[in-house]
Amino acid sequence: MAVTLNDTLDVKRGDIKHYDFGMPFWDATRQKKLVIQYCKVAKKFQHFPRPVSIFTGRRRDIEWREVSGKGKVYSFTIAHRGPPAFQGKEPYAIASVTLDEGVNVIADVVNCTAEDLKVGMRVKAYWHPLDNGEHLLMWQPDKDAK
Amino acid sequence: MSLRDSAIVAYAETKVMKKSDRDVWVLMGEILEQLLDKSGFESKEIDGLVMSGLTGTGGASMFWAQSTCDMLGLEVGFCEQVHTGGCSAVGAVARAAAAIDAGMCEVAVCMFADTHVREHNGRNDRNYRRDWTDPYGVLGPPGAFGLLQRAYDAKYGVDLKALGKLAITQRNHAIMNENACEELRVPITMDDYINSRMIADPIRLLDCVMLADGAAGLIVTSKKRAKEKGLNKCVIPIGYAERTNFLGGDNLVDVTRSGHEIAGKKALAAAGWNIKDVRSFHPYDDFLIALVIQFEAFGFCKPGEGMKFVRDTDLSYNGTLPMNTGGGQISAGQAACSSHNLIEAVRQLMGEAGKRQVKDTTNALVTGIGWINYGRNWGSSAAMALVPNQ
């Protein structure tokens, strides 16, 4: 039985309140760029943004780096019951994606059917405009990926 | 060692209610009364209060434990609220024992009361969610466990019939437990489990706990004081460990692993047990898959063999490894600050479980799971080894 997934693009998400230490991420989304925190000592990325490196505990070890926005699905769930703003939009898919740079990022999946959505599937960034000029990162199938 | 110098001398519990007909303070009053009546302590002798912070009714109050002292007329030297989510029940016993050992109090009440269905006073969690999962419509724990179970399935494979066996076993226990939520005391079949509606695919309705109202409590004192008081029937916590933010300094975490790997090993070592020594198991159950992951993390079986372990093991109260003999939270209702499985273990070791009494009361192992962190397993993992008074 085919299950049509909702893209949730018409969900009213309102103002997403940010922490100041995560602002470089949100500012970059205005240009549809994905930047992720990188620890120069551990040579690893971390997400969500933190006030310190989770590898060393130090602020000074962190820098922001632009990444490809490509990766593969580590896991996913299909919400059949959403929180209030999402009620009536179910079912929709949420995926935890391992970026090629080696860090997991959770976001909604668009342009994808339930049949196609698989663990290991290649995805790329999809940028959904928000009212304040920022974009919300989402995932879509990367049809060009081998 | 401090922990084993303390003793749980009394337990108390209200019936789990779909929605409480009484105020949360009234439920606490009932628990206090039961505890005093059972132990013979007078309220003036209570000098410690340890509350669980896992409460929708009191959670938004910064002064919850102090207000409770005021409401119940308790004057204490140790007043504490535990904030390790679903680990707070076993965590409360450990903190009470530590406070007793440190001389901060002698007779502590651990109070687990919540009427979050009747009266939820809101929360103001300041964490990652507002930026990083709320905009995506992740429905709290079911959403997180949906990601977790799918990852488990991709790595090892999920056997729905094994999960269904867990659901049915716990339900059968709840039917034998008069304190379980009445609405849940109806038999279920494998088809009921498999056909229950999806909440956060692959998480079904019957994979999940149902929020409910109720209260429970314990009195913890020193073994010495218990003996002086003539309280010979008591339960001794001989091993405890907790782990918060397991692999928190790593960025790519296998969500099928949990902090119970560490907390379990440490609690068992403190108790001097091998996992095979465990005679009844009372694991925290918010979702069925969490039970499977705990069997693996504690070493009942190897990683990836949890489904097989469930298929091969009789987990009923009269089986080879009795598990959540009160119905667990999934079939008794998630009430009383998630203390249900701890209270049941204490009841079993005191030999007061009636028709679901386990035969072997040599020991019991209780666990906790608390909070959901971003893209990981769960926030806190706890384990407590209990034995009856020798």
Side-chain angles (χ1 to χ4, degrees):
Chain A
M1 191 171 59
V3 177
T4 309
L5 297 177
N6 192 311
D7 282 350
T8 73
L9 298 179
D10 58 345
V11 169
K12 291 195 179 14
R13 289 177 166 86
D15 288 335
I16 301 168
K17 210 172 153 194
H18 308 313
Y19 296 106
D20 57 5
F21 54 87
M23 281 315 295
F25 177 98
W26 291 101
D27 288 341
T29 69
R30 292 175 181 276
Q31 279 78 48
K32 301 187 181 180
K33 285 184 179 168
L34 180 57
V35 300
I36 300 279
Q37 283 183 326
Y38 180 78
C39 175
K40 293 177 281 183
V41 174
K43 298 185 169 34
K44 285 180 185 174
F45 287 88
Q46 65 182 27
H47 184 78
F48 56 95
R50 308 299 210 296
V52 298
S53 162
I54 62 169
F55 309 102
T56 68
R58 294 187 176 84
R59 281 188 305 167
R60 63 172 178 265
D61 296 341
I62 293 285
E63 66 181 25
W64 291 85
R65 289 193 177 180
E66 186 174 355
V67 297
S68 65
K70 293 185 175 183
K72 63 180 184 183
V73 173
Y74 171 63
S75 189
F76 68 93
T77 175
I78 296 171
H80 287 258
R81 198 181 138 205
F86 287 75
Q87 279 165 20
K89 310 294 179 191
E90 306 96 337
Y92 54 92
I94 302 160
S96 178
V97 167
T98 306
L99 294 181
D100 291 345
E101 291 80 5
V103 63
N104 283 349
V105 181
I106 295 170
D108 293 335
V109 181
V110 300
N111 298 329
C112 188
T113 64
E115 286 68 29
D116 289 342
L117 186 51
K118 297 272 187 305
V119 169
M121 184 180 90
R122 295 289 307 176
V123 294
K124 60 182 181 182
Y126 175 93
W127 293 102
H128 172 53
L130 297 170
D131 292 344
N132 66 355
E134 294 171 353
H135 290 81
L136 186 66
L137 172 69
M138 293 182 164
W139 300 118
Q140 61 180 336
D142 185 358
K143 302 256 195 279
D144 302 328
K146 291 179 197 79
Chain B
M1 154 140 200
S2 67
L3 201 60
R4 57 172 79 218
D5 292 334
S6 62
I8 299 167
V9 295
Y11 67 91
E13 192 180 57
T14 69
K15 187 170 175 68
V16 176
M17 296 161 279
K18 207 170 172 188
K19 184 178 181 182
S20 179
D21 54 356
R22 283 153 289 163
D23 189 85
V24 70
W25 302 112
V26 176
L27 299 187
M28 288 194 213
E30 290 183 19
I31 294 301
L32 180 62
E33 191 170 66
Q34 281 187 44
L35 291 174
L36 296 175
D37 288 351
K38 276 186 165 181
S39 67
F41 279 115
E42 291 302 323
S43 72
K44 295 283 177 278
E45 294 177 273
I46 305 296
D47 62 355
L49 178 71
V50 186
M51 304 274 290
S52 171
L54 186 70
T55 155
T57 311
S61 169
M62 283 195 243
F63 311 109
W64 189 231
Q66 288 139 297
S67 309
T68 295
C69 286
D70 192 8
M71 282 286 169
L72 301 180
L74 299 174
E75 178 179 344
V76 301
F78 183 68
C79 184
E80 165 83 345
Q81 190 165 340
V82 185
H83 283 288
T84 46
C87 297
S88 299
V90 283
V93 173
R95 283 155 179 77
I100 291 163
D101 187 60
M104 296 172 79
C105 63
E106 270 193 79
V107 185
V109 166
C110 296
M111 182 67 82
F112 313 118
D114 194 16
T115 54
H116 47 185
V117 180
R118 174 189 163 107
E119 181 190 340
H120 199 293
N121 292 313
R123 301 172 9 180
N124 186 16
D125 294 347
R126 194 177 193 275
N127 57 34
Y128 63 84
R129 286 185 189 168
R130 68 186 200 191
D131 262 331
W132 308 109
T133 55
D134 285 351
Y136 298 117
V138 180
L139 185 72
F145 275 82
L147 291 172
L148 197 163
Q149 185 164 318
R150 179 92 55 197
Y152 187 99
D153 193 26
K155 188 169 183 187
Y156 298 123
V158 161
D159 176 1
L160 282 179
K161 288 193 170 164
L163 295 179
K165 178 181 173 181
L166 293 170
I168 294 165
T169 302
Q170 294 204 160
R171 184 58 64 99
N172 290 342
H173 291 157
I175 291 167
M176 288 190 281
N177 177 5
E178 286 175 2
N179 279 348
C181 186
E182 210 50 47
E183 286 81 354
L184 294 173
R185 296 181 70 202
V186 283
I188 52 170
T189 65
M190 188 62 78
D191 283 347
D192 291 337
Y193 168 72
I194 290 171
N195 296 325
S196 66
R197 67 185 165 86
M198 286 292 184
I199 303 294
D201 187 348
I203 297 293
R204 293 163 161 77
L205 183 70
L206 290 179
D207 284 300
C208 311
V209 284
M210 181 186 86
L211 292 179
D213 289 347
L218 299 166
I219 289 184
V220 183
T221 187
S222 64
K223 252 178 159 170
K224 186 168 164 277
R225 186 76 182 268
K227 199 173 175 189
E228 286 165 7
K229 200 80 185 169
L231 293 164
N232 297 318
K233 191 199 266 189
C234 46
V235 171
I236 314 299
I238 60 167
Y240 176 75
E242 62 186 40
R243 199 76 177 179
T244 291
N245 210 28
F246 177 62
L247 302 178
D250 211 342
N251 64 345
L252 275 180
V253 175
D254 176 352
V255 299
T256 67
R257 297 181 57 194
S258 85
H260 285 121
E261 287 177 23
I262 292 170
K265 202 172 283 176
K266 211 173 149 191
L268 290 168
W273 301 350
N274 183 289
I275 193 67
K276 298 220 162 28
D277 297 329
V278 173
R279 288 294 171 260
S280 73
F281 187 43
H282 303 269
Y284 194 93
D285 59 323
D286 44 359
F287 296 90
L288 294 173
I289 188 69
L291 297 170
V292 177
I293 289 174
Q294 288 178 87
F295 285 129
E296 298 176 5
F298 276 94
F300 286 102
C301 58
K302 292 193 181 101
E305 293 181 359
M307 298 288 169
K308 182 177 185 301
F309 180 79
V310 170
R311 282 194 301 269
D312 294 348
T313 310
D314 185 349
L315 299 162
S316 54
Y317 75 99
N318 54 1
T320 47
L321 181 66
M323 178 198 71
N324 284 340
T325 48
Q329 300 190 93
I330 291 176
S331 267
Q334 188 175 33
C337 312
S338 294
S339 61
H340 175 80
N341 299 352
L342 167 65
I343 302 290
E344 173 68 10
V346 172
R347 180 193 284 113
Q348 286 285 3
L349 294 188
M350 289 187 176
E352 298 176 357
K355 56 187 174 187
R356 64 178 190 282
Q357 179 62 50
V358 302
K359 283 192 284 287
D360 192 340
T361 57
T362 309
N363 66 49
L365 182 64
V366 188
T367 81
I369 287 177
W371 200 55
I372 303 292
N373 40 13
Y374 181 89
R376 293 166 189 270
N377 176 265
W378 47 72
S380 294
S381 305
M384 179 167 271
L386 297 170
V387 294
N389 198 22
Q390 288 101 350

